[in-house]
């Protein structure tokens, strides 16, 4: 997947991604996504990710994301609480422990560096 491309994020087809039940705090969130580009060494990933309402925890990689639709509150342990919705950009640091409270199904485009 090293070629240049363009796609409409809001309409892109996504595939189910397993969500570890131990990460679910409440609700029945479901995750879908699509990697649209990955570097040959696997250390840079670009894609689309979506999650339905609920509350989940995560440990983050270095990530820049832009919310396309939906809304969530992202609590960073020992850090800020981020309120994100359409058009908002977020930056997460490697090792951030987060709790995502998804209010409306959230779709984001992301760039992750491992």
């Amino acid at each position: 997947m090293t070629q240049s491309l363009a796609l409409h994020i809001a309409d892109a087809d996504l595939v189910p991604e397993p969500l570890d039940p131990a990460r679910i705090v409440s609700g029945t969130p479901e995750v879908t996504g699509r990697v649209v580009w990955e570097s040959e060494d696997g250390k840079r990933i670009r894609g689309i990710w979506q999650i339905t309402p609920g509350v989940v925890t995560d440990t983050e990689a270095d990530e820049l994301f832009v919310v396309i639709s939906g809304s969530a509150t992202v609590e960073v342990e020992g850090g800020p609480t981020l309120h994100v919705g359409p058009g908002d950009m977020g930056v997460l640091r490697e090792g951030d422990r987060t709790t995502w409270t998804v209010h409306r199904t959230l779709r984001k485009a992301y760039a992750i560096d491992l």
Side-chain angles (χ1 to χ4, degrees):
M1 285 190 256
T2 58
Q3 66 188 22
S4 298
L5 63 93
L7 61 102
H8 189 71
I9 297 167
D11 298 329
D13 289 329
L14 306 180
V15 296
E17 293 183 0
L19 182 59
D20 179 355
R23 292 183 39 212
I24 299 172
V25 176
S26 68
T28 54
E30 295 179 5
V31 173
T32 53
R34 177 176 171 189
V35 172
V36 297
W37 182 88
E38 185 173 343
S39 63
E40 288 185 22
D41 63 5
K43 292 186 177 187
R44 294 177 293 143
I45 304 166
R46 312 300 183 241
I48 303 165
W49 185 82
Q50 181 171 287
I51 186 169
T52 61
V55 180
V56 298
T57 60
D58 200 8
T59 301
E60 305 295 340
D62 280 328
E63 177 182 356
L64 173 125
F65 66 88
V66 176
V67 176
I68 305 306
S69 59
S71 64
T73 302
V74 184
E75 297 174 58
V76 179
E77 186 177 287
T81 297
L82 313 174
H83 302 279
V84 296
D88 290 335
M89 180 179 78
V91 177
L92 299 169
R93 299 173 304 157
E94 181 178 358
D96 278 348
R97 296 171 58 97
T98 57
T99 300
W100 290 71
T101 301
V102 180
H103 310 292
R104 288 183 326 200
T105 298
L106 181 98
R107 183 175 282 217
K108 67 179 182 174
Y110 66 84
I112 292 176
D113 294 314
L114 303 172

